[in-house]
Amino acid sequence: MKVKKTKGIIRKLQKELRKVKSYKDAMAALTDEELKAKTKEFRERFEAGESTDKMLPEAFAAMCEADKRVLGMFPFDVQLLAGIAMHHGYLAEMNTGEGKTLTATCPMYLNGLTGKGAILVTNNEYLALRDAEEMGPAYEFMGLTISAGVKRDADDKFENDEKKEIYNSDIVYTTHSALGFDYLINNLVKSADERFMRDFYFIIIDEADSVLLDSASTPLVISGAPRVQSNLYEMADFFVTTLQEDVDYEIEEKSVWFTEKGLEYAESYFGIDNIFDPEYFEIYRHLILALRAHKIIEKGTEYMISESNEVTLIDASSGRALKGVKLRGGQHQAIECKEKVEITQENRSMASITYQNFFSMFPKMAGMSGTIYDAKDELYDVYGKKVVVIPTNNPIQRVDCPDWFFSDSEKQFEAAIKLAVKKHETGQPVLIVTTMISDTEILSHLLVKEGLAHSVLNANNAFWEAEIIKEAGQMGAMTVATSMAGRGTDIKLGPGVKELGGLAVIGVGRMLNIRDERQTRGRAGRQGDPGYSRFLVSLEDDIVEKGTDPEKLKKYIDGNKRIRDRKIKKIVNGAQRTNEEMGVTNRKNSKDYDVVLQLERKLMYDTRDMLLDGGSIEWSKLIDIAMENTDEFLKEHKKLTVSEFNRYMLDNISYKMEKDIGYLKLNNKNKVKAYVKARVEKSLEEKQKQIGSEKGMKDFIRVSALSAIDEAWIEQVDYLQQLQGAVSGRSSAQRNLMFEYQGEALESFRKMESRIKRNIIRNVLLSEVSMDKKNKLKIILP
């Protein structure tokens, strides 16, 4: 089913809007105390069984009045329309400058009333903190608690108790990454007291297309204990530099793989007979990582080298530096090796989830953005969410001019500077937006040659973002920025600028997708202001070079052959379309890979929750597990020797050697199992006697089981993260990659189950247990 046109949805929402407005005068007539008392009344009605849908008109009207009294702003009809849509779970497209921050207050208030928690996420800390601070007083006036789930300094971490207080608030403003990581951390705690999150209920996602789509290709991964540092990075890096394209490897869009000849060369180079043999998994993994680092992942667009000589990732959609974020599975270290900077420690992946699966856990999920309708079909397919386009409060006055086309970047940049100078001479503020950091530096250099003072905003100087954006709409201002100036920022016009035509936006280069271009154009013409936008594109744009055969373009770029604008337009737009399709494919692959992990994750997290909430494993079940382990052992040892059996008993059942073991007939499997069962029962009785109570014994078994589950689960998550990277490089073998991944993941899960069962018994039977002076269990696991 495809998403229907949104006019029909708007008509239904307008009926509710009229009901909201019918309460306006009644709310305005209330004193402050009477208005505040409405919250208590709404809560009592909800607890008595009245639905939030039924309370919506009155609750929205009450919050509108609070917004007016506290913030000095009464939501426009279109803002209320969007708020109603989000309460009902729609993704609302609202034009730039239409006031998304104020729009969210009504649905957040209504759902915060329930006591189940309402969360709003956006894509950076600055916006989350700003919106919480600006809107917070209105919620507090109405008696709701509000918290921000992020801090200004990314290095300043919340304590566990602080997180508990945050997530117990009625309203939480945070970022999508902070919320996702907190969810994963919450499922790694060792005791019920350490959990800080309650069950999910209602969430609004600001800049929803950026969060749900652009950020969705890369899963959230928590790294923990360091892996033994590999010495293969340098070897793989050097080997990759000796390869020939189309001979040893092939590249197609954002994929790279070894040819048969390349695989044979690798086997010869490393002296191995079959590179796909599990024994050589690490060699093959490192070769794929090195190949991707050199041929796919680009400096300046996907990462940069920071002032401290570290590899720092760049968000492709926003152009922002992703501080503290690393590519997983050793890919980050492969890039460090390529760039000849210090190779950081590769850590194990302890927990992972994709945004697709994470946000689908919320019973009520909604969102808003200025550019979400273009992706309506994918959003419906992946999240089951419909997009509704909200009308603007004032007609759009911005003039969006047709693109200019160029055969090469030199002519393109020259024309961009001429256009910027022409606009600047009238006093009109100019914002030049590019896709790459290097392009902002080139344009800045050209502006310096023209003698024009200007500001530069990119991932290298994001610290000054708020100040630069604040000045960008003033008369005579000239700003050069990456697309980080395109989302969540509001460029307000200075005195006299409207009369000059408003802000002029000049886009240099075709962007990753149409949504990013609409966001960039949307910096001008906010709330009915005048504005101007034009894009200048060329055959040397980054997106074209990545998605088109360079040999086909060379003759046009060098000027050896004339090319019409129409032909350039076809090539450039085709490259963007290809990139968008590739983005959809990557997000689908990310979700498909996570389906395997999602099923396993639910099973593991449910089991952990059962244990944390006081559940335990009965003795009879422990004995059954011990017998299953013994069955596995006996299958592996058809002709059991005394030394093998002794080793098994010492490693799994008891550190004590019993004299009667010498009389046991090892060729009689039933007698061996009966002997083991008796020893297990005896060990359990000894443990309970040591602990001294049935409750203490249950607590001990719970801790032992949790430890066994966590250790095995972390190994599994880490292995699957590595496996994804390794499997992606097997295209040369013409295999069904997803089928291979799922098969190996299933086999790995079965091994994990066996490991958990083995380690539960080891932990219960071989741990050292004692009680301290405060009568608390002290456990030393084997």
Side-chain angles (χ1 to χ4, degrees):
M1 174 185 170
K2 295 294 179 187
V3 181
K4 296 175 182 175
K5 298 278 185 186
T6 63
K7 285 183 180 176
I9 299 170
I10 291 290
R11 278 196 294 272
K12 288 179 185 175
L13 299 176
Q14 282 171 334
K15 285 182 184 176
E16 288 196 75
L17 173 62
R18 287 192 285 273
K19 289 180 186 175
V20 173
K21 291 172 75 174
S22 71
Y23 285 97
K24 182 180 177 183
D25 292 342
M27 293 299 168
L30 298 175
T31 64
D32 282 0
E33 291 310 312
E34 288 170 336
L35 184 61
K36 290 176 184 180
K38 278 288 175 186
T39 297
K40 185 170 182 286
E41 179 197 319
F42 293 141
R43 283 188 151 154
E44 286 170 353
R45 283 160 59 180
F46 178 76
E47 284 164 17
E50 189 172 341
S51 70
T52 50
D53 288 357
K54 196 170 179 187
M55 286 193 293
L56 185 150
E58 206 175 339
F60 267 48
M63 193 62 203
C64 284
E65 184 62 27
D67 286 337
K68 178 187 171 186
R69 294 186 192 185
V70 180
L71 307 175
M73 298 182 285
F74 193 94
F76 298 126
D77 285 3
V78 292
Q79 290 174 313
L80 287 171
L81 211 58
I84 296 165
M86 286 192 287
H87 169 75
H88 290 303
Y90 289 105
L91 301 172
E93 174 167 305
M94 296 180 71
N95 221 52
T96 308
E98 290 292 301
K100 292 195 289 292
T101 308
L102 184 65
T103 296
T105 57
C106 289
M108 289 291 284
Y109 170 72
L110 175 57
N111 287 279
L113 286 170
T114 63
K116 297 177 182 181
I119 299 173
L120 186 144
V121 295
T122 191
N123 61 1
N124 67 66
E125 288 81 1
Y126 165 73
L127 292 174
L129 287 164
R130 183 201 70 183
D131 293 356
E133 284 173 10
E134 289 182 2
M135 301 298 111
Y139 295 123
E140 287 167 345
F141 174 85
M142 291 300 286
L144 297 192
T145 54
I146 174 172
S147 296
V150 290
K151 291 190 176 183
R152 275 190 171 74
D153 183 354
D155 296 326
D156 190 5
K157 304 297 182 189
F158 286 110
E159 294 296 323
N160 199 281
D161 287 345
E162 289 178 294
K163 283 189 180 183
K164 202 172 281 188
E165 191 176 332
I166 289 166
Y167 288 109
N168 278 333
S169 299
D170 297 313
I171 308 281
V172 178
Y173 279 74
T174 185
T175 64
H176 58 289
S177 56
L179 181 66
F181 281 127
D182 278 347
Y183 165 74
L184 293 175
I185 292 165
N186 194 58
N187 281 286
L188 289 172
V189 298
K190 299 296 183 186
S191 71
D193 293 342
E194 291 174 28
R195 286 188 297 201
F196 49 81
M197 273 186 160
R198 51 180 164 174
D199 290 343
F200 292 145
Y201 175 59
F202 178 74
I203 190 166
I204 290 177
I205 301 164
D206 190 15
E207 302 299 340
D209 56 329
S210 173
V211 175
L212 296 176
L213 299 177
D214 300 329
S215 297
S217 295
T218 307
L220 291 165
V221 179
I222 286 185
S223 297
R227 189 182 284 114
V228 175
Q229 193 71 333
S230 169
N231 61 355
L232 290 169
Y233 288 113
E234 287 86 355
M235 291 170 70
D237 188 77
F238 177 77
F239 173 76
V240 163
T241 62
T242 68
L243 302 177
Q244 289 180 271
E245 188 173 348
D246 296 327
V247 176
D248 300 310
Y249 66 91
E250 292 178 5
I251 298 177
E252 186 178 313
E253 294 164 356
K254 289 287 284 181
S255 297
V256 62
W257 59 85
F258 285 103
T259 61
E260 289 297 335
K261 190 168 181 183
L263 292 171
E264 287 169 11
Y265 174 32
E267 287 168 350
S268 168
Y269 185 91
F270 287 94
I272 57 182
D273 52 1
N274 177 13
I275 200 161
F276 290 126
D277 191 299
E279 185 183 347
Y280 305 119
F281 176 81
E282 282 300 308
I283 292 175
Y284 182 71
R285 179 172 80 92
H286 280 76
L287 291 180
I288 291 296
L289 294 173
L291 195 60
R292 285 181 56 79
H294 278 269
K295 309 301 177 184
I296 297 292
I297 303 169
E298 289 190 69
K299 185 178 180 180
T301 54
E302 292 172 77
Y303 72 92
M304 63 183 187
I305 305 300
S306 67
E307 289 179 5
S308 54
N309 213 32
E310 295 175 343
V311 170
T312 302
L313 299 182
I314 300 170
D315 185 314
S317 175
S318 68
R320 298 176 190 279
L322 298 169
K323 291 177 183 175
V325 178
K326 288 186 177 184
L327 292 170
R328 64 196 192 283
Q331 189 64 74
H332 207 88
Q333 287 72 21
I335 296 170
E336 290 168 336
C337 189
K338 166 196 166 186
E339 294 293 344
K340 305 293 185 268
V341 301
E342 184 183 349
I343 299 177
T344 56
Q345 180 68 55
E346 183 187 349
N347 291 335
R348 293 182 184 279
S349 299
M350 295 176 67
S352 169
I353 193 168
T354 60
Y355 283 119
Q356 292 97 318
N357 284 322
F358 177 62
F359 287 118
S360 296
M361 293 168 66
F362 283 82
K364 296 180 71 176
M365 185 259 273
M368 52 186 175
S369 172
T371 53
I372 203 165
Y373 191 73
D374 297 299
K376 63 186 184 304
D377 291 341
E378 184 183 356
L379 288 162
Y380 187 81
D381 290 342
V382 175
Y383 298 97
K385 291 290 167 184
K386 292 182 182 179
V387 176
V388 58
V389 179
I390 305 297
T392 55
N393 191 47
N394 294 306
I396 297 171
Q397 300 294 325
R398 186 183 65 243
V399 179
D400 293 328
C401 299
D403 296 347
W404 284 349
F405 299 93
F406 302 89
S407 57
D408 62 82
S409 58
E410 189 177 338
K411 295 190 188 84
Q412 175 191 23
F413 280 52
E414 189 181 314
I417 295 298
K418 277 185 182 174
L419 179 58
V421 169
K422 184 182 172 185
K423 294 287 179 187
H424 179 73
E425 283 172 349
T426 69
Q428 193 172 2
V430 178
L431 172 66
I432 306 175
V433 181
T434 74
T435 57
M436 299 171 68
I437 292 174
S438 55
D439 286 351
T440 62
E441 290 163 355
I442 292 167
L443 287 160
S444 175
H445 177 70
L446 292 172
L447 287 170
V448 168
K449 282 176 73 176
E450 292 288 334
L452 283 175
H454 60 280
S455 299
V456 178
L457 175 60
N458 58 36
N460 287 326
N461 64 346
F463 180 79
W464 305 104
E465 179 179 359
E467 286 77 4
I468 291 170
I469 291 298
K470 189 178 174 185
E471 297 300 318
Q474 303 303 309
M475 192 179 289
M478 178 74 75
T479 311
V480 181
T482 56
S483 50
M484 68 186 292
R487 281 197 180 274
T489 51
D490 205 3
I491 299 174
K492 293 178 182 175
L493 302 183
V497 171
K498 279 186 186 179
E499 292 74 16
L500 298 172
L503 177 70
V505 174
I506 301 171
V508 181
R510 184 56 85 229
M511 294 196 156
L512 293 173
N513 53 57
I514 291 169
R515 290 180 291 106
D516 284 352
E517 287 181 11
R518 286 183 61 205
Q519 280 283 352
T520 300
R521 290 185 192 275
R523 295 308 97 206
R526 59 183 289 279
Q527 290 187 358
D529 286 344
Y532 167 96
S533 76
R534 188 187 294 277
F535 271 83
L536 291 74
V537 299
S538 84
L539 296 178
E540 289 193 289
D541 287 349
D542 185 54
I543 197 169
V544 182
E545 290 183 334
K546 285 179 187 174
T548 316
D549 183 355
E551 289 303 314
K552 288 181 181 176
L553 303 179
K554 197 172 186 302
K555 57 193 174 189
Y556 302 123
I557 293 169
D558 292 346
N560 297 331
K561 191 171 181 182
R562 247 182 119 256
I563 184 169
R564 294 182 179 183
D565 283 1
R566 195 168 158 191
K567 174 84 170 174
I568 297 175
K569 181 179 180 180
K570 187 178 177 183
I571 293 170
V572 172
N573 289 352
Q576 186 185 60
R577 234 178 355 262
T578 300
N579 185 75
E580 288 185 320
E581 288 164 2
M582 197 167 61
V584 172
T585 302
N586 287 342
R587 289 189 287 272
K588 183 181 182 304
N589 286 343
S590 180
K591 188 185 180 191
D592 288 347
Y593 277 123
D594 196 54
V595 164
V596 175
L597 200 54
Q598 182 190 12
L599 298 169
E600 298 180 10
R601 182 170 50 236
K602 186 172 187 326
L603 180 63
M604 290 296 109
Y605 287 0
D606 285 351
T607 305
R608 288 189 96 258
D609 283 343
M610 179 275 290
L611 292 168
L612 288 173
D613 291 329
S616 191
I617 302 173
E618 298 301 321
W619 280 31
S620 59
K621 182 63 180 171
L622 284 174
I623 292 165
D624 288 344
I625 293 171
M627 291 301 94
E628 283 180 49
N629 295 345
T630 306
D631 280 335
E632 287 293 316
F633 169 71
L634 293 174
K635 276 181 198 171
E636 291 166 13
H637 299 80
K638 302 291 184 189
K639 293 182 179 179
L640 190 60
T641 65
V642 173
S643 61
E644 286 170 342
F645 186 60
N646 280 341
R647 185 75 267 155
Y648 176 75
M649 295 298 290
L650 287 168
D651 288 344
N652 296 279
I653 310 298
S654 174
Y655 291 137
K656 294 176 186 174
M657 292 296 296
E658 301 286 346
K659 291 179 183 178
D660 59 349
I661 202 166
Y663 303 103
L664 188 64
K665 291 181 180 179
L666 297 181
N667 60 348
N668 188 324
K669 304 301 181 192
N670 288 332
K671 289 196 173 178
V672 170
K673 286 173 68 177
Y675 178 82
V676 172
K677 186 178 180 183
R679 290 291 300 275
V680 169
E681 289 170 343
K682 184 180 177 184
S683 293
L684 286 171
E685 286 164 5
E686 287 172 353
K687 275 286 183 302
Q688 178 146 323
K689 196 176 285 184
Q690 269 181 284
I691 293 167
S693 73
E694 195 174 320
K695 182 186 176 299
M697 184 67 176
K698 281 189 173 180
D699 289 342
F700 164 63
I701 291 171
R702 182 163 52 249
V703 171
S704 298
L706 270 172
S707 174
I709 288 167
D710 288 349
E711 185 186 335
W713 176 236
I714 289 166
E715 287 284 332
Q716 174 74 346
V717 171
D718 188 52
Y719 173 70
L720 292 183
Q721 291 295 328
Q722 294 176 63
L723 184 63
Q724 279 183 37
V727 163
S728 69
R730 295 184 188 175
S731 302
S732 60
Q734 301 297 309
R735 298 166 169 178
N736 182 326
L737 301 187
M738 194 56 65
F739 181 77
E740 288 217 359
Y741 173 79
Q742 288 172 344
E744 292 190 34
L746 181 60
E747 180 62 28
S748 172
F749 184 72
R750 285 176 181 146
K751 288 178 181 175
M752 181 192 73
E753 283 185 309
S754 295
R755 193 159 59 245
I756 288 173
K757 288 174 180 176
R758 193 164 56 248
N759 286 345
I760 286 176
I761 298 304
R762 287 188 79 249
N763 288 353
V764 170
L765 300 184
L766 300 181
S767 292
E768 289 183 31
V769 189
S770 59
M771 305 298 285
D772 64 15
K773 291 176 182 176
K774 293 179 180 177
N775 211 31
K776 284 190 175 180
L777 271 175
K778 285 185 71 179
I779 305 166
I780 301 172
L781 295 166

